[in-house]
Amino acid sequence: DADVTQTPRNRITKTGKRIMLECSQTKGHDRMYWYRQDPGLGLRLIYYSFDVKDINKGEISDGYSVSRQAQAKFSLSLESAIPNQTALYFCATSDLGREDTDTQYFGPGTRLTVL
Amino acid sequence: GNSVTQMEGPVTLSEEAFLTINCTYTATGYPSLFWYVQYPGEGLQLLLKATKADDKGSNKGFEATYRKETTSFHLEKGSVQVSDSAVYFCALISFAGGTSYGKLTFGQGTILTVHP
């Protein structure tokens, strides 16, 4: 089984709809992240969480919100989706306490299309 | 702020050719450097990493050396295969006072296509 899972894998929605993307991990990591990927722009950080009670905005948080329901679960919401939020979304985890030097491990991604 | 610049792509090579993908960075603190690979239809996977100057990361025949004097972390492979076709991302995470900021900064990605 994959260590970091994302649901759904693909989603098509309409402008103005609320949508939630979910991420679960079995790695036991404290830190979780949401990124979006756009062609030619690499990945950009939306939100990150260092533990259940610690949530921080990334570089492109406008139009998004998150919820850290448990150590293993981190959800990303689009309250009112707009077409320029069409992108590939990735969840990632890391654990500074190990010798991984904060290496991040990524889920398979969710392809979101907003019409 | 932190930034990562990768060579423009796409890169197209024949099988067994030598590969170099350039990566330079600017960062505060003492960054760790990474190469991630994204195969078609998949998420990102860590390919290799280096945590301090002059360290060499290596995996699957790929290598990259952390060059602090030139702020570079170029990816190389001596003989590419068709199966290496993917998007390659250079990235960094910076530390200060032993604490990670926790935020990966990515380059824009380089598409590699290897033909038989």
Side-chain angles (χ1 to χ4, degrees):
Chain A
D1 287 341
D3 294 320
V4 183
T5 57
Q6 294 183 231
T7 55
R9 294 294 311 278
N10 288 282
R11 181 71 182 266
I12 300 173
T13 191
K14 294 182 179 180
T15 297
K17 294 292 187 181
R18 184 181 188 275
I19 185 167
M20 178 181 288
L21 309 183
E22 299 186 339
C23 177
S24 295
Q25 53 114 348
T26 59
K27 298 186 75 68
H29 288 173
D30 290 327
R31 298 181 168 196
M32 298 187 74
Y33 310 81
W34 276 104
Y35 294 89
R36 66 176 279 175
Q37 182 182 20
D38 298 279
L41 294 177
L43 277 75
R44 294 179 292 167
L45 183 64
I46 306 172
Y47 271 94
Y48 62 105
S49 171
F50 283 2
D51 63 42
V52 175
K53 297 182 180 179
D54 179 58
I55 293 178
N56 306 278
K57 293 182 177 180
E59 57 184 307
I60 54 162
S61 59
D62 288 348
Y64 302 95
S65 62
V66 291
S67 173
R68 184 83 183 265
Q69 300 95 324
Q71 185 201 37
K73 296 185 181 295
F74 192 37
S75 300
L76 176 71
S77 293
L78 288 68
E79 296 300 326
S80 180
I82 56 177
N84 75 2
Q85 292 177 313
T86 294
L88 191 54
Y89 290 85
F90 288 102
C91 175
T93 74
S94 71
D95 186 355
L96 182 60
R98 300 168 186 265
E99 294 183 1
D100 280 339
T101 325
D102 217 14
T103 298
Q104 295 188 15
Y105 298 87
F106 285 78
T110 294
R111 183 167 297 281
L112 176 66
T113 303
V114 183
L115 301 176
Chain B
N2 297 339
S3 67
V4 176
T5 303
Q6 290 181 233
M7 66 183 288
E8 293 286 334
V11 175
T12 303
L13 296 173
S14 298
E15 207 164 25
E16 299 184 3
F18 184 85
L19 168 71
T20 300
I21 300 177
N22 290 337
C23 171
T24 58
Y25 68 89
T26 58
T28 56
Y30 304 97
S32 292
L33 302 175
F34 305 84
W35 277 100
Y36 280 86
V37 58
Q38 184 180 28
Y39 297 105
E42 298 184 12
L44 277 72
Q45 302 175 25
L46 178 67
L47 180 60
L48 54 83
K49 65 182 179 184
T51 61
K52 60 184 186 296
D54 300 325
D55 269 1
K56 177 184 284 188
S58 61
N59 186 26
K60 300 181 180 180
F62 291 89
E63 294 183 340
T65 300
Y66 188 141
R67 300 287 188 198
K68 187 176 180 181
E69 64 277 10
T70 55
T71 62
S72 65
F73 193 54
H74 304 321
L75 183 68
E76 296 182 337
K77 186 175 186 182
S79 177
V80 294
Q81 305 300 312
V82 172
S83 58
D84 294 326
S85 297
V87 183
Y88 291 81
F89 292 94
C90 185
L92 71 84
I93 196 164
S94 61
F95 292 76
T99 300
S100 162
Y101 294 130
K103 293 179 283 185
L104 267 175
T105 300
F106 285 90
Q108 75 272 31
T110 301
I111 299 172
L112 171 66
T113 302
V114 180
H115 293 296

